[in-house]
Protein backbone atom coordinates (compact mmCIF):
# COMPACT_ATOMS: atom_id res chain seq x y z
CA UNK A 1 0.00 0.00 0.00
CA UNK A 2 2.78 2.44 0.87
CA UNK A 3 4.43 1.77 -2.48
CA UNK A 4 1.24 2.65 -4.36
CA UNK A 5 0.86 5.92 -2.46
CA UNK A 6 4.51 6.72 -3.05
CA UNK A 7 4.25 6.01 -6.78
CA UNK A 8 1.13 8.16 -7.03
CA UNK A 9 2.94 11.05 -5.32
CA UNK A 10 5.87 10.64 -7.72
CA UNK A 11 3.44 10.70 -10.63
CA UNK A 12 1.67 13.86 -9.44
CA UNK A 13 4.76 15.81 -8.42
CA UNK A 14 6.74 14.65 -11.43
CA UNK A 15 4.06 16.07 -13.69
CA UNK A 16 3.86 19.35 -11.79
CA UNK A 17 7.57 19.99 -11.43
CA UNK A 18 9.11 18.69 -14.60
CA UNK A 19 7.19 16.70 -17.14
CA UNK A 20 10.30 15.32 -18.79
CA UNK A 21 11.19 13.33 -15.69
CA UNK A 22 8.24 10.89 -15.94
CA UNK A 23 9.43 9.13 -12.76
CA UNK A 24 6.47 7.18 -11.43
CA UNK A 25 4.70 6.89 -14.80
CA UNK A 26 4.05 3.52 -16.39
CA UNK A 27 5.66 2.46 -19.67
CA UNK A 28 2.35 2.84 -21.52
CA UNK A 29 1.71 6.31 -20.04
CA UNK A 30 5.09 7.52 -21.32
CA UNK A 31 4.45 5.99 -24.75
CA UNK A 32 1.00 7.60 -24.89
CA UNK A 33 2.23 11.01 -23.73
CA UNK A 34 4.94 11.19 -26.40
CA UNK A 35 3.20 9.22 -29.15
CA UNK A 36 3.47 12.13 -31.60
CA UNK A 37 7.17 12.71 -30.95
CA UNK A 38 10.45 11.00 -31.66
CA UNK A 39 10.11 8.33 -28.95
CA UNK A 40 11.58 4.91 -29.55
CA UNK A 41 12.16 1.77 -27.52
CA UNK A 42 15.71 0.89 -26.60
CA UNK A 43 17.05 -2.57 -25.95
CA UNK A 44 15.51 -4.40 -23.01
CA UNK A 45 17.52 -6.48 -20.56
CA UNK A 46 16.44 -9.42 -18.43
CA UNK A 47 17.33 -9.46 -14.73
CA UNK A 48 16.14 -12.30 -12.53
CA UNK A 49 13.46 -13.31 -15.01
CA UNK A 50 12.08 -9.75 -15.34
CA UNK A 51 12.32 -7.55 -18.42
CA UNK A 52 13.74 -4.07 -17.78
CA UNK A 53 12.65 -1.72 -20.57
CA UNK A 54 13.88 1.70 -21.63
CA UNK A 55 12.74 4.41 -24.04
CA UNK A 56 14.54 7.29 -25.72
CA UNK A 57 12.92 10.64 -26.55
CA UNK A 58 14.90 12.76 -29.00
CA UNK A 59 14.51 16.53 -28.87
CA UNK A 60 16.43 19.19 -30.78
CA UNK A 61 18.70 20.20 -27.89
CA UNK A 62 18.57 17.15 -25.62
CA UNK A 63 17.71 13.47 -25.39
CA UNK A 64 15.74 11.86 -22.56
CA UNK A 65 16.17 8.20 -21.65
CA UNK A 66 13.53 6.57 -19.47
CA UNK A 67 14.29 3.38 -17.53
CA UNK A 68 11.51 1.19 -16.16
CA UNK A 69 11.51 -1.38 -13.37
CA UNK A 70 10.07 -4.89 -13.54
CA UNK A 71 6.59 -3.45 -12.88
CA UNK A 72 6.93 -1.14 -15.92
CA UNK A 73 7.20 1.96 -13.70
CA UNK A 74 9.69 4.63 -14.72
CA UNK A 75 12.37 4.75 -12.03
CA UNK A 76 14.94 7.01 -13.71
CA UNK A 77 15.00 9.69 -16.38
CA UNK A 78 18.36 10.71 -17.82
CA UNK A 79 18.57 13.92 -19.85
CA UNK A 80 21.60 14.21 -22.14
CA UNK A 81 22.16 17.84 -23.05
CA UNK A 82 23.55 18.71 -26.50
CA UNK A 83 24.76 22.29 -26.00
CA UNK A 84 25.80 24.82 -23.33
CA UNK A 85 22.73 27.02 -23.75
CA UNK A 86 20.37 24.14 -23.06
CA UNK A 87 22.53 23.05 -20.12
CA UNK A 88 22.16 26.51 -18.60
CA UNK A 89 18.40 26.48 -19.23
CA UNK A 90 18.07 23.21 -17.30
CA UNK A 91 20.27 24.50 -14.47
CA UNK A 92 18.19 27.70 -14.24
CA UNK A 93 14.99 25.63 -14.29
CA UNK A 94 16.18 23.41 -11.43
CA UNK A 95 17.51 26.38 -9.45
CA UNK A 96 14.10 28.08 -9.71
CA UNK A 97 11.88 25.09 -8.94
CA UNK A 98 13.99 22.80 -6.77
CA UNK A 99 16.20 23.14 -3.72
CA UNK A 100 19.91 23.12 -4.45
CA UNK A 101 21.57 20.66 -2.06
CA UNK A 102 25.17 20.91 -3.15
CA UNK A 103 27.21 21.14 -6.27
CA UNK A 104 25.04 20.02 -9.20
CA UNK A 105 22.33 18.39 -7.01
CA UNK A 106 18.71 19.38 -6.50
CA UNK A 107 15.70 17.92 -4.69
CA UNK A 108 12.00 18.57 -5.15
CA UNK A 109 9.63 19.65 -2.44
CA UNK A 110 9.31 16.96 0.25
CA UNK A 111 12.37 15.20 -1.23
CA UNK A 112 10.34 13.18 -3.73
CA UNK A 113 12.59 13.65 -6.79
CA UNK A 114 16.38 13.97 -6.75
CA UNK A 115 18.30 15.47 -9.65
CA UNK A 116 22.03 15.16 -10.20
CA UNK A 117 24.16 16.62 -12.98
CA UNK A 118 26.95 14.35 -14.26
CA UNK A 119 29.72 15.01 -16.80
CA UNK A 120 29.22 18.77 -16.84
CA UNK A 121 32.37 19.27 -18.93
CA UNK A 122 31.85 16.53 -21.52
CA UNK A 123 28.33 15.23 -22.20
CA UNK A 124 26.18 16.87 -19.51
CA UNK A 125 23.59 14.42 -18.19
CA UNK A 126 20.89 15.08 -15.62
CA UNK A 127 19.68 12.03 -13.74
CA UNK A 128 16.21 12.29 -12.20
CA UNK A 129 15.08 9.58 -9.81
CA UNK A 130 13.09 8.98 -6.67
CA UNK A 131 14.97 10.21 -3.60
CA UNK A 132 14.09 6.99 -1.80
CA UNK A 133 16.27 4.90 -4.15
Amino acid sequence: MDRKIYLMLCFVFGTIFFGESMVGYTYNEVVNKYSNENLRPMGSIWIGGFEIKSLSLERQNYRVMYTFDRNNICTTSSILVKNKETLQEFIDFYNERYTNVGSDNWVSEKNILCIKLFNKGTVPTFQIRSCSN
Side-chain angles (χ1 to χ4, degrees), residues 64-78:
V64 185
M65 311 224 320
Y66 304 103
T67 306
F68 300 84
D69 67 10
R70 66 184 190 191
N71 297 313
N72 283 326
I73 302 296
C74 182
T75 57
T76 306
S77 296
S78 298

Side-chain angles (χ1 to χ4, degrees), residues 21-81:
S21 78
M22 303 301 286
V23 172
Y25 281 70
T26 67
Y27 184 89
N28 288 336
E29 288 170 327
V30 175
V31 168
N32 289 337
K33 180 171 180 157
Y34 297 113
S35 63
N36 295 327
E37 297 192 49
N38 192 6
L39 181 71
R40 56 193 154 98
M42 300 185 58
S44 298
I45 60 171
W46 288 85
I47 299 176
F50 295 100
E51 183 181 21
I52 306 298
K53 297 178 183 178
S54 59
L55 294 169
S56 175
L57 174 65
E58 191 71 34
R59 294 274 172 87
Q60 183 175 352
N61 295 318
Y62 60 94
R63 174 184 303 143
V64 185
M65 311 224 320
Y66 304 103
T67 306
F68 300 84
D69 67 10
R70 66 184 190 191
N71 297 313
N72 283 326
I73 302 296
C74 182
T75 57
T76 306
S77 296
S78 298
I79 303 170
L80 288 74
V81 181

Side-chain angles (χ1 to χ4, degrees), residues 20 43 75 93:
E20 300 296 352
T75 57
F93 177 87

Side-chain angles (χ1 to χ4, degrees), residues 2-3 5-7 9-10 23-24 69 74-76 106-115 128-133:
D2 288 302
R3 180 169 167 84
I5 293 170
Y6 171 74
L7 289 174
L9 287 173
C10 284
V23 172
D69 67 10
C74 182
T75 57
T76 306
W106 299 265
V107 295
S108 66
E109 185 178 324
K110 299 184 182 180
N111 294 327
I112 293 174
L113 294 176
C114 289
I115 298 101
I128 305 167
R129 62 177 175 73
S130 165
C131 291
S132 67
N133 291 339

